[in-house]
């Protein structure tokens, strides 16, 4: 079993779609073993996305991620990191395959509904950023 960090972004909470996304996550065989709703400050978003700080869209991304509530989750399944990336679809919803979360829900390349860790190392760091071991119940 593997764990990955998922975030339902502010475009999802604004449109009241948390349950709709969670239904798809569960139907795809991922178990939500931890979950909470937070409103990140700009500073917290900047800390979470520090790996992207050299990218041109860093400031816009951090403003968007702190613009409203998010739902942070730990998902568990076999091969959860790669599996959830497939369930999410391409970063730009215009390129996301039918059936993926971003194809169905994303508004734009920035407001693209979901985040998922991209490696084992980042998953461990990102999970520890939001959750302690006692909050994860498989
Ligand atoms: P991901 O792993 O598919 O989420 O994509 P990246 O790691 O490349 O980018 C992180 C996040 O930054 C994306 O999920 C988007 O929310 C945002 N993002 C990516 N590319 C762009 C862009 O060209 N412009 C803007 N404004 N945001 C972007």
């Amino acid at each position: 079993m593997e764990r990955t960090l998922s975030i339902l972004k502010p475009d999802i909470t604004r449109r009241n779609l948390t349950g709709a996304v969670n239904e798809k996550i569960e139907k795809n065989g991922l178990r939500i073993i931890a979950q909470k709703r937070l409103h990140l400050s700009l500073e917290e978003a900047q800390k979470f996305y520090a790996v992207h700080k050299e990218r041109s869209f860093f400031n816009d991304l951090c403003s968007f991620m702190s613009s409203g509530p998010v739902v942070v989750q730990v998902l568990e399944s076999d091969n959860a990191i790669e599996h959830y990336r497939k369930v999410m679809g391409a970063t730009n919803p215009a390129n996301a395959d039918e059936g993926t979360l971003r194809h169905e829900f994303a508004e734009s390349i920035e407001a693209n509904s979901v985040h998922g860790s991209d490696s084992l190392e980042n998953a461990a760091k990102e999970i520890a950023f939001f959750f302690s071991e006692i909050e994860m119940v498989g």
Side-chain angles (χ1 to χ4, degrees), residues 36-109:
K36 57 191 167 193
R37 181 170 162 118
L38 306 167
H39 193 144
L40 297 174
S41 66
L42 181 62
E43 293 70 28
E44 287 164 342
Q46 287 167 341
K47 203 170 157 202
F48 180 78
Y49 278 114
V51 288
H52 290 321
K53 65 176 182 294
E54 306 305 331
R55 295 173 83 170
S56 58
F57 54 80
F58 177 74
N59 287 333
D60 288 341
L61 173 61
C62 293
S63 302
F64 167 62
M65 291 300 288
S66 57
S67 68
V70 295
V71 176
V72 295
Q73 322 173 301
V74 181
L75 308 181
E76 189 176 77
S77 75
D78 284 336
N79 209 15
I81 296 167
E82 195 186 329
H83 179 45
Y84 189 49
R85 300 279 303 178
K86 286 199 180 122
V87 170
M88 287 164 50
T91 307
N92 185 346
N95 303 326
D97 291 338
E98 209 158 315
T100 62
L101 295 175
R102 284 168 168 168
H103 178 86
E104 180 161 352
F105 296 113
E107 296 183 314
S108 67
I109 192 168

Side-chain angles (χ1 to χ4, degrees), residues 13-30:
T13 58
R14 175 169 43 79
R15 290 175 291 158
N16 215 22
L17 291 170
T18 298
V21 176
N22 279 351
E23 184 179 4
K24 292 228 154 201
I25 286 172
E26 293 184 334
K27 282 201 168 131
N28 277 284
L30 291 143

